[in-house]
Amino acid sequence: MATTAFEPLISSAWGKPNSWTLDEYRKRGGYKGLEKALELTPAQIIDEVKKSNLRGRGGAGFPTGLKWSFVPKDSPKPKYLAVNGDESEPGTFKDRYILENDPHMMLEGIAIASYALGVHTCYVYLRGEFKFQAERTNAAIREAYAAGIFGKKVLGKDYQLDCYVVRGAGAYICGEETALLESLEGKKGWPRLKPPFPAVVGLFGSPTVVNNVETLASVPHVFTRGAAWYAGLGTDKSGGTRLVCLSGTVNRPGVYEVSLETTFNQLIFDDKYGRGLPAGRKVKAVIPGGSSAPILSPDELDIAMEFEAVKVKQTMAGSGGVIVMDDTTCMVRSLWRVARFYAEESCGQCTPCREGTPWQTRLLRKIEEGRGEPGDVEILSNVASSIAPYPPIGLGNTICALGDAAALPTHSFLMRFRDEFEAHIREHRCPFGDKPWGAFGDWS
């Protein structure tokens, strides 16, 4: 339970003139957190982040301080920090707003993390489509060098730190941390087998921490106001605030910074957030954490948008992508669209994912177009189980979690709306009418 009154941290300056510049960031107290962190030892910094209960904002929600502590302190190899800005999960669009509106907040977090980890080189990996965001981030990095924040001395301390922006080629798979590292090394973005984990054998075979953009933008607040204060903003196991992306059939979609005690019902219906659904529409289902997260039904929306609370419902808070589907939505058609995305983005390295994801897509197209046969729903369920059984989450048969991401929506849609799939087959048509989009291509 929160013990500190909620206030926006990450988004506090969004929409204000020149919020992305160093001058404006410093007027708001920017880099004060770095100044305080530099007075501590690296071990003390990591301990403060642990006490803050800051958890990763990229999807898995792993405790940030614990992740940092895995980096071996006695390694003779250089250490690296890789920032995951490959924001590609359908329904998620928050990190780009940080890069556009307040990139120095992330850069300050980079500097604090780098000093704590003994990192002298950081790479900010952005998805290929983020041209504008990359330009704004690069401009902020140049300002940081000119001000002596990056370079040979970090704010006058005898500690060198260099930071570079690298743009990918738009591959969803490169959001997986080891595929991201492969891409940074100039290779095909294929996930690696783990162990060894990146903290021990990462970029160029050296210890590496991979953190999300929002995670690092949260770090300065831990030091400007204290770990206890930051932890008090959240729940017992999750500190701070978080950004959530609201889309789908709501009156006011957008990116909102919320308390971790905020429920899905509040996000969807409160006037300061989604303002409900259009007149006459009702919630049919909600995707709680990006398209890979199993769906919630309307009677499950009074839970907090917090990692542990959502886990109880056998789904994920994930990357904060909340997608609302109303009662006019065809669940077969929606799942077909989701399945096709994962089939296209599979790297093809693992047989269950390479063969299973297009198989799911073909079956869903067949059912949606009225060509479904008795037994197709069972086959679809079996294919999804061969990729990743469910529940619980995390039993996938592939090297990385893309297989899980493709299978989990299929499981959850079938568990909650199997009758709708069977109606398509029984009636040899889609009860919801024509498709709202064009042809997908023969293969799908």
Side-chain angles (χ1 to χ4, degrees):
M1 182 175 180
T3 57
T4 304
F6 170 78
E7 61 179 278
L9 304 178
I10 307 294
S11 62
S12 59
W14 292 5
K16 295 180 180 178
N18 302 314
S19 62
W20 55 88
T21 64
L22 177 60
D23 284 347
E24 289 301 317
Y25 185 60
R26 278 190 149 159
K27 287 178 184 177
R28 305 192 304 271
Y31 291 104
K32 293 293 184 184
L34 175 58
E35 290 176 7
K36 292 182 178 180
L38 292 175
E39 296 173 357
L40 305 175
T41 66
Q44 288 173 324
I45 294 174
I46 293 174
D47 190 50
E48 284 296 294
V49 175
K50 285 181 179 178
K51 290 176 182 176
S52 74
N53 290 336
L54 172 62
R55 296 175 66 161
R57 302 297 196 243
F62 195 82
T64 304
L66 184 60
K67 189 174 192 177
W68 290 5
S69 70
F70 292 155
V71 174
K73 299 173 179 59
D74 56 353
S75 173
K77 296 180 179 180
K79 301 177 180 69
Y80 296 98
L81 175 64
V83 183
N84 191 343
D86 192 74
E87 186 176 49
S88 306
E89 179 77 7
T92 309
F93 41 91
K94 62 185 176 62
D95 291 342
R96 69 194 70 186
Y97 281 88
I98 297 173
L99 299 171
E100 290 173 18
N101 292 284
D102 217 343
H104 279 284
M105 191 178 291
M106 178 192 69
L107 297 186
E108 184 175 9
I110 286 172
I112 294 170
S114 296
Y115 181 66
L117 296 165
V119 165
H120 295 283
T121 305
C122 171
Y123 295 97
V124 181
Y125 187 95
L126 304 181
R127 64 181 289 189
E129 294 86 347
F130 280 8
K131 182 176 184 292
F132 173 67
Q133 290 83 356
E135 290 171 351
R136 188 149 279 182
T137 304
N138 271 319
I141 290 172
R142 288 193 294 270
E143 287 183 313
Y145 272 104
I149 297 162
F150 290 163
K152 292 184 178 180
K153 291 184 181 291
V154 174
L155 291 182
K157 196 172 187 71
D158 190 19
Y159 191 87
Q160 182 167 345
L161 176 59
D162 292 300
C163 184
Y164 306 95
V165 171
V166 178
R167 284 170 63 197
Y172 171 81
I173 194 65
C174 289
E176 195 277 335
E177 63 178 11
T178 61
L180 183 153
L181 298 178
E182 289 286 293
S183 180
L184 275 174
E185 292 178 0
K187 304 173 188 173
K188 182 187 295 186
W190 273 16
R192 300 173 181 174
L193 280 168
K194 294 181 284 189
F197 292 93
V200 179
V201 181
L203 191 61
F204 309 121
S206 299
T208 305
V209 166
V210 183
N211 279 146
N212 168 260
V213 169
E214 185 188 351
T215 307
L216 288 165
S218 302
V219 168
H221 303 286
V222 173
F223 293 90
T224 53
R225 306 279 284 275
W229 174 86
Y230 188 86
L233 283 169
T235 59
D236 289 344
K237 295 184 178 181
S238 301
T241 63
R242 78 168 307 188
L243 299 176
V244 292
C245 316
L246 180 62
S247 62
T249 315
V250 289
N251 288 318
R252 191 169 175 250
V255 179
Y256 299 102
E257 186 168 1
V258 299
S259 159
L260 288 163
E261 293 183 328
T262 305
T263 68
F264 289 97
N265 264 333
Q266 288 172 323
L267 178 70
I268 295 167
F269 293 102
D270 277 13
D271 284 345
K272 60 181 177 180
Y273 303 127
R275 297 179 182 172
L277 279 66
R281 304 284 183 88
K282 296 179 180 179
V283 174
K284 185 173 186 177
V286 172
I287 296 173
S291 63
S292 59
I295 55 176
L296 295 170
S297 56
D299 60 354
E300 296 177 304
L301 301 180
D302 272 327
I303 59 170
M305 293 183 290
E306 186 269 324
F307 300 100
E308 300 302 320
V310 174
K311 191 185 296 183
V312 172
K313 298 295 183 180
Q314 294 293 340
T315 186
M316 305 175 289
S319 52
V322 180
I323 306 171
V324 179
M325 293 177 279
D326 70 15
D327 51 2
T328 67
T329 302
C330 172
M331 303 311 285
V332 177
R333 188 182 306 162
S334 299
L335 181 58
W336 175 21
R337 186 66 191 89
V338 170
R340 182 174 183 255
F341 171 81
Y342 290 111
E344 284 190 337
E345 295 297 338
S346 172
C347 74
Q349 184 176 186
C350 304
T351 302
C353 188
R354 182 181 67 247
E355 302 299 325
T357 53
W359 194 352
Q360 285 191 141
T361 307
R362 289 192 297 269
L363 282 167
L364 287 161
R365 178 176 184 173
K366 180 184 176 185
I367 295 169
E368 171 61 17
E369 292 183 345
R371 298 181 287 109
E373 303 170 88
D376 279 350
V377 174
E378 193 61 38
I379 293 172
L380 179 62
S381 177
N382 289 340
V383 171
S385 293
S386 297
I387 303 170
Y390 170 83
I393 293 171
L395 299 179
N397 297 316
T398 52
I399 288 174
C400 84
L402 190 143
D404 300 64
L408 292 176
T410 300
H411 286 302
S412 69
F413 276 59
L414 290 179
M415 286 171 65
R416 289 172 169 81
F417 296 98
R418 190 183 183 104
D419 58 338
E420 196 167 304
F421 287 75
E422 291 174 344
H424 277 68
I425 294 172
R426 186 173 57 252
E427 298 177 21
H428 299 291
R429 68 184 184 91
C430 173
F432 293 86
D434 295 334
K435 292 187 289 294
W437 51 73
F440 284 164
D442 293 339
W443 74 271
S444 62

